[in-house]
Amino acid sequence: MSAIEKILLETPGLEDEPWDVERIREDFPVLKQTVNGKPLVYLDNAASSQVPQVVIDRGSKYLREEHSNIHRGVHYLSQRATTAYEGAREKVRRFINARDVRECIFVRGATEGINLVMHGYGRKFIKEGDEIIISAMEHHANIVPWQMLCEEKGARLRVIPMNEAGELLLDEYDALLNERTKLVAVNHVSNALGTINPVKEIIARAHKMGVPVLIDGAQSAPHLTVDVQDLDCDFYTLSGHKMFAPTGSGVIYGKTELLEKMNPFQGGGDMIRTVTFEKTTYAGLPNKFEAGTPAIASQIGLGAAIDYLNSIGRERAVRYEQELLRYATERISAIEGVTLIGTAREKASVLSFIIENVHPHDVGTILDQEGIAVRAGHHCAQPVMQFFKVPATARASFAFYNTKEEVDALAHAIEKVIEVFS
Ligand code: PLP
């Protein structure tokens, strides 16, 4: 069963209550503005999503009433801040269904989460001649750290290829897995193509060979439901700013047994048990990986964003987003001169496209004049652009607060672009 089918089929009564998108939009103050005299149409959610009022309020409550440092203080404010911060960690645990709250390490985002594993696990356990498998559709955040590690250690990076639709070739993956493979690191959902990868299957095949798997969940946490125990992934990372929380928030999940045997990431305060000039011993999980003062307000905001997602019904949001993506795919692909990049059977949120004879940057600029925010560029996935032989794409990416009317506005603006360049 595919990831989407699992969510839709296993949640009873999803169709009973229609999605009241106008009600939902009320929760997001940023959406109420005009840009260049037009109502803002925000379709850059894969880069950063918007923040609901309840999350803004929770962050400002910390700044107004609780602002102080965590863990180290015995005074009232510090204890309140610590309770809020650790409360957010428990919300994360439930959100991804981790077994133990100590498996949820706060980081600044997915990039930092992957780098933490590269330094803590990779530098300790990966040796000369070993191999790391990634996929052809990774974000640079899940390519460059592994390349750096391979260079340092004399290890080899192997890449699971994809087909023209932007789907991974699992037979080729099987052929890459061997006794030299020491880690597999793949994204759950591609930010450039929208493909939902069959990560459960990818993990199961790696585990048959005893190989741990890191899932880059930057694009799946906001658009799917995630259960790290069901996936059985060894590491899973997410970015708060892509799931309705402030920038600077994020998580790397890791199985206890792996986190415990890893090296710390950064050294400093809060990650130690004892320090002498001769030797330092490290704190237990999760503190061992959280040196220095973290982004307290942002992580508390992530907890509030999770509360918000639970309150609106995550499965219902997934269902609505799938409907919207289907509508947008039909509407935009019907425009002559437009080619979609990324046509996998299972997709989430993302519609990448090119327009014949128009550079994507010009598309982005003209759409902005219409008040429509899309991303134009390589989306930090240059190998994907090289595969499709395009310099860049324009990318519209959706959230559960976007509407069919906004898709229509996008379609009209694209037609305008084509007119300007014809
Ligand atoms: N991985 C994927 C799939 C992404 O889409 C992104 C950001 O776009 C990242 C990793 C990096 O996330 P961050 O910039 O929050 O560290």
Side-chain angles (χ1 to χ4, degrees), residues 46-47 108-112 114 137-142 187 189-192 216-219 237-242 249 379-380 395:
R108 279 187 300 129
T111 303
E112 191 168 82
I114 295 165
M137 62 177 84
E138 297 307 319
H139 186 282
H140 296 164
N142 202 28
N187 63 32
V189 174
S190 156
N191 68 308
D216 172 359
Q219 300 293 342
T237 189
L238 60 83
S239 293
H241 68 98
K242 297 183 197 293
S249 62
H379 318 296
C380 296
R395 180 188 72 185

Side-chain angles (χ1 to χ4, degrees), residues 263-280:
N263 284 335
F265 176 35
Q266 295 177 326
D270 227 23
M271 53 76 75
I272 56 91
R273 186 160 283 136
T274 60
V275 179
T276 66
F277 287 121
E278 287 70 40
K279 185 168 174 58
T280 291

